[in-house]
Amino acid sequence: MAAKRKPARKQTAVRSKPARAKPAASIQQISPCLWFDGRAEEAARFYVSVFKKGKITAITHYPDVGQEIHKRPAGSVMTVEFVLNGLPFMGLNGGPNFRFNEAVSLMILCDTQAEIDYYWERLNEGGDPSAQACGWLKDRFGLSWQVVPKGLMKIWKDPRSPGTKRAFAAMMDMKKLDIAQLKAAYKGR
């Protein structure tokens, strides 16, 4: 007698959920390198004192080779790596060949007037008073900064708007930006 066969099980397609990609580790791929003439460590120490979430992470020194090219003394500071509010920077003691200019600036987006006042005062210590205009300043190392309220770009959305024109005219007369004055000008007060 033949063995009884079990009835074949109905095959159902197994539906699998699509595989979710694992979040990639957050890697900062762009990091500013700031060129100094022997003052990289001094600058980094100043900047980390200004920013509450600032720290120096590494310092390297020039070896005793290559002086004919880089002209820096062996053992002197070559680079200083530092972080300001989560953004990594490198300061390089590259010599007198290059200087900062206003074509590049670092912008600090502030939530309040108190933040604007704080960064303006601290970064201006020893800076160039003649370089202050429209929220821009130049610090004691020659680096340009913009200290601006976060919502500023919303005001400039429509260049034909009377509010935009009034706020822009008000800004053009300011050195340090004043949020209340910009808002009042925008609203026509």
Side-chain angles (χ1 to χ4, degrees):
M1 182 165 172
K4 277 191 170 179
R5 291 181 137 193
K6 290 184 180 179
R9 290 168 75 182
K10 184 177 176 183
Q11 299 255 341
T12 58
V14 177
R15 293 184 186 196
S16 63
K17 293 181 181 177
R20 291 184 186 211
K22 291 182 181 178
S26 177
I27 298 173
Q28 181 72 33
Q29 293 181 334
I30 297 175
S31 177
C33 179
L34 306 174
W35 183 293
F36 295 92
D37 183 15
R39 297 178 72 192
E41 185 175 7
E42 179 188 351
R45 292 196 186 286
F46 173 67
Y47 297 140
V48 301
S49 78
V50 170
F51 290 85
K52 292 168 180 64
K53 294 180 185 174
K55 65 181 177 180
I56 291 177
T57 57
I59 297 176
T60 64
H61 298 84
Y62 278 99
D64 60 359
V65 296
Q67 279 76 22
E68 66 281 358
I69 296 170
H70 58 70
K71 314 256 188 286
R72 309 303 297 175
S76 65
V77 172
M78 182 170 63
T79 64
V80 180
E81 294 177 48
F82 58 101
V83 177
L84 303 177
N85 290 1
L87 182 65
F89 289 84
M90 177 182 284
L92 168 69
N93 280 327
N97 305 31
F98 303 106
R99 303 249 182 247
F100 296 123
N101 67 47
E102 293 78 6
V104 174
S105 63
L106 301 178
M107 187 164 47
I108 305 170
L109 301 173
C110 300
D111 287 317
T112 66
Q113 188 64 46
E115 277 186 289
I116 289 173
D117 296 344
Y118 169 79
Y119 287 115
W120 187 266
E121 297 307 317
R122 288 299 315 275
L123 290 168
N124 255 323
E125 292 171 6
D128 180 0
S130 69
Q132 299 172 1
C134 305
W136 292 58
L137 65 89
K138 190 178 282 196
D139 70 25
R140 67 178 83 166
F141 304 101
L143 184 59
S144 292
W145 296 82
Q146 295 179 61
V147 183
V148 299
K150 278 187 181 170
L152 187 63
M153 292 306 148
K154 291 178 188 173
I155 292 176
W156 313 139
K157 231 179 198 177
D158 180 4
R160 296 173 303 221
S161 157
T164 295
K165 291 176 183 180
R166 287 189 303 270
F168 193 82
M171 182 191 71
M172 297 305 289
D173 288 335
M174 295 179 186
K175 290 184 178 190
K176 176 177 66 173
L177 297 185
D178 185 300
I179 295 172
Q181 288 180 18
L182 290 169
K183 285 181 178 179
Y186 184 78
K187 292 177 181 175
R189 294 185 195 152

